């Protein structure tokens, strides 16, 4: 009977456990994510202005902002979805996927899709997150299907 009760308590903890709201993390202290797009390693900047946790699915975050390649500026909306979380005593790692849709403004507008990794260190003394590193690796595909490039972004 005690084993059954313990099992039910554990199950209820998992069922009602909620992901903390880490929406401010994706804002990257108001700095753009920087990286490259395509084989020519053209500079790409992605600035997230709004980040909100989905009220119905706490593993999902809605984001919006803009992308910049050369002089091509595009507004976007999208989502980040957490798929896995690993925690050790001093370091945490969050894995997930992203999907970002740029405003359709012609041939140089499209969708970013891929995976992300967010790593950080936890300072027990100050009870704050330190040494945050976010990396987004994926693809960008134009809406008309004629352009398809690899992308690699990271926080500053």
């Amino acid at each position: 009977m005690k084993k059954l009760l313990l099992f039910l308590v554990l199950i209820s903890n998992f069922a009602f456990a909620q992901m903390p709201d880490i929406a401010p993390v994706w804002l990257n202290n108001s700095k753009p994510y920087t990286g490259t797009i395509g084989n020519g390693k053209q500079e790409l900047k992605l600035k997230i202005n709004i980040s909100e946790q989905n009220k119905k699915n706490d593993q999902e975050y809605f984001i919006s902002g803009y992308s910049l390649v050369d002089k091509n500026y595009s507004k976007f909306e999208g989502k980040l979805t957490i798929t896995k979380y690993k925690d050790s005593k001093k370091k945490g790692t969050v894995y997930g996927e992203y999907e970002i849709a740029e405003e359709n403004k012609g041939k140089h507008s499209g969708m970013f899709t891929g995976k992300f990794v967010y790593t950080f260190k936890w300072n027990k003394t100050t009870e704050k997150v330190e040494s945050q590193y976010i990396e987004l690796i994926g693809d960008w595909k134009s809406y008309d299907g004629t352009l398809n490039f690899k992308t690699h972004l990271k926080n500053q």
Side-chain angles (χ1 to χ4, degrees):
M1 185 66 176
K2 286 183 181 179
K3 288 182 181 178
L4 179 61
L5 183 60
L6 180 61
F7 178 73
L8 290 174
V9 168
L10 284 172
I11 293 293
S12 67
N13 282 342
F14 283 114
F16 295 109
Q18 186 167 355
M19 176 75 181
D21 186 356
I22 59 171
V25 166
W26 312 122
L27 297 173
N28 193 29
N29 296 318
S30 296
K31 296 177 185 168
Y33 293 82
T34 58
T36 58
I37 183 168
N39 295 334
K41 305 287 185 192
Q42 223 172 354
E43 185 181 33
L44 165 65
K45 289 186 179 184
L46 198 76
K47 173 83 166 61
I48 297 174
N49 294 325
I50 298 172
S51 172
E52 296 177 356
Q53 187 178 38
N54 183 342
K55 306 256 185 279
K56 294 180 182 175
N57 177 1
D58 63 3
Q59 305 293 306
E60 195 172 74
Y61 293 85
F62 299 118
I63 59 171
S64 69
Y66 67 88
S67 64
L68 181 64
V69 178
D70 284 336
K71 295 178 183 173
N72 188 19
Y73 170 92
S74 295
K75 292 180 182 178
F76 69 76
E77 291 183 350
K79 68 179 179 176
L80 301 165
T81 306
I82 294 171
T83 57
K84 186 178 176 181
Y85 174 68
K86 288 170 83 176
D87 188 23
S88 65
K89 291 180 182 179
K90 293 184 179 181
K91 182 181 169 188
T93 308
V94 177
Y95 299 91
E97 298 173 349
Y98 64 90
E99 188 173 280
I100 299 170
E102 291 179 311
E103 183 177 51
N104 193 349
K105 290 174 34 180
K107 185 174 180 165
H108 295 283
S109 299
M111 292 277 297
F112 292 94
T113 56
K115 298 188 181 295
F116 70 83
V117 178
Y118 164 46
T119 57
F120 59 91
K121 291 181 183 173
W122 178 252
N123 184 328
K124 285 186 178 182
T125 308
T126 62
E127 294 190 357
K128 294 192 182 215
V129 171
E130 297 176 344
S131 303
Q132 295 186 85
Y133 181 72
I134 303 170
E135 188 172 31
L136 298 101
I137 300 170
D139 298 295
W140 176 87
K141 187 172 184 177
S142 64
Y143 289 124
D144 65 8
T146 59
L147 301 171
N148 192 358
F149 299 117
K150 296 284 182 199
T151 62
H152 187 191
L153 291 154
K154 58 186 176 181
N155 66 329
Q156 297 179 338

